[in-house]
Amino acid sequence: MTSALHRAAHWHRPLMVFVSAMALLAVVSAVGIVADPRVLTGVPIWLKPFKFAVSFVLYGATLAWMLSLLPGRSRIAEWAGTVIVAMSVIEMVVIVGQVLRGTTSHYNETTPLNAALWQAMGASILVLFAAHFVIGIVVLRQPIADRVGGYAVGLGIGLSLLGMLAAIPMVAGRDTGIEGVAGAHSVGVPDGGPGLPLVGWSTTGGDLRIGHFVGLHALQALPILAILLSRFVGTRLDEHTRVRLLVVAGGAYGVLTMLLTWQALRGQPLLRPDALTLAAVAALVVATATAAGLVVARRRRPELALAA
């Protein structure tokens, strides 16, 4: 355990320092949730910093690990990782600063200062997206030796970009009808209404955070799937078959991200889908199961693959 932590500390230093800071902020925010009675948009005021801090711990640690897998050092990728840290720090400073001021950070244009802070956040997110995209290009240009792991990393980075794009409807063309509010998470209902525990996703209308969340965490989901495939079926399925299964899973994951965003844009709560949404989910499940079944049916036995 100690040696693993030591290796992790030497991945991408700025990212790992940021991860440590976010872990500390998560603890502070958790205390704030309990100790600070203030409520903002229907939830404890420290819940947003807590969720963002936890999310950045996962994002930063995963990205640093992925960079450590590259066969050769890439100054471009390292610089892109450092840019991501800088942009993330800007976002978290605004979020925590606005909590300390007792107001919202996202979509807040009620005063010139609030508008400037919100615009700074928006600009930092765009730069972060570009830096994340650059890392994706580097991963494509420097294939990882483990083909299954390489596909997992590439698909994870690509699908997390899709998750970032899923957030665009939160601000693009959204007229909330409330002066000084330049966007919203919810569709069909005001932000701050009844929501699911912890995540706060609306239970009365659509919520665009769901597709955004699912897409972003492809960064962890696909590598975890690759590890599970190698560990539990690695002796029965050759590398080529595991790669194909991973591609099937990645395609299904991307479609699921878009489906959840589509459901939200139609004003439907996650747990109250209509017949059309259920039909789309059923079609996705059948298509994914069929594709996975065909891949397994056409697999080569490991001993034959070695002989080839």
Side-chain angles (χ1 to χ4, degrees):
M1 181 67 177
T2 303
S3 61
L5 291 174
H6 180 74
R7 288 196 303 272
H10 289 82
W11 285 344
H12 184 283
R13 189 62 61 86
L15 275 169
M16 295 311 295
V17 170
F18 177 66
V19 165
S20 300
M22 289 300 99
L24 178 60
L25 177 60
V27 174
V28 172
S29 300
V31 173
I33 291 172
V34 176
D36 191 335
R38 292 180 298 168
V39 173
L40 191 65
T41 63
V43 297
I45 197 169
W46 284 96
L47 182 59
K48 184 181 288 290
F50 174 78
K51 291 193 296 184
F52 270 75
V54 171
S55 181
F56 272 127
V57 166
L58 294 174
Y59 176 73
T62 305
L63 203 58
W65 168 72
M66 288 179 171
L67 290 175
S68 75
L69 298 178
L70 293 176
R73 181 180 178 184
S74 170
R75 289 187 179 275
I76 294 176
E78 290 180 0
W79 273 105
T82 303
V83 169
I84 285 174
V85 170
M87 297 303 103
S88 302
V89 168
I90 291 173
E91 185 168 5
M92 291 308 300
V93 166
V94 173
I95 289 173
V96 174
Q98 291 294 73
V99 165
L100 294 174
R101 295 178 65 225
T103 188
T104 57
S105 51
H106 287 65
Y107 322 124
N108 189 348
E109 296 185 346
T110 53
T111 68
L113 175 59
N114 290 334
L117 292 172
W118 167 233
Q119 289 164 11
M121 286 183 65
S124 68
I125 292 168
L126 288 176
V127 176
L128 186 151
F129 178 90
H132 188 96
F133 181 79
V134 167
I135 291 176
I137 297 298
V138 172
V139 169
L140 290 177
R141 290 175 61 88
Q142 291 193 25
I144 295 170
D146 175 10
R147 287 188 66 221
V148 181
Y151 270 84
V153 170
L155 286 169
I157 290 176
L159 289 170
S160 59
L161 285 170
L162 177 64
M164 294 180 192
L165 291 174
I168 290 176
M170 296 184 194
V171 292
R174 296 297 304 279
D175 182 8
T176 62
I178 304 174
E179 186 177 356
V181 178
H185 299 134
S186 303
V187 178
V189 294
D191 280 353
L196 295 174
L198 187 60
V199 291
W201 298 336
S202 177
T203 55
T204 56
D207 200 310
L208 293 163
R209 290 174 294 184
I210 302 170
H212 178 55
F213 174 90
V214 170
L216 282 178
H217 289 290
L219 205 65
Q220 292 84 33
L222 273 297
I224 288 173
L225 177 59
I227 292 170
L228 293 176
L229 285 173
S230 297
R231 179 167 183 175
F232 293 106
V233 297
T235 58
R236 286 175 287 173
L237 299 179
D238 62 277
E239 183 184 68
H240 186 70
T241 300
R242 282 180 278 135
V243 165
R244 286 189 167 186
L245 285 174
L246 200 64
V247 171
V248 169
Y253 200 101
V255 172
L256 176 63
T257 299
M258 292 186 288
L259 195 157
L260 291 169
T261 303
W262 172 66
Q263 180 188 12
L265 286 170
R266 292 162 58 226
Q268 289 179 23
L270 175 65
L271 302 182
R272 289 166 51 193
D274 64 7
L276 183 59
T277 301
L278 289 173
V281 172
L284 175 60
V285 171
V286 171
T288 304
T290 301
L294 290 173
V295 168
V296 173
R298 296 177 60 185
R299 74 188 185 280
R300 292 181 293 175
R301 294 180 181 177
E303 60 269 19
L304 295 179
L306 290 173

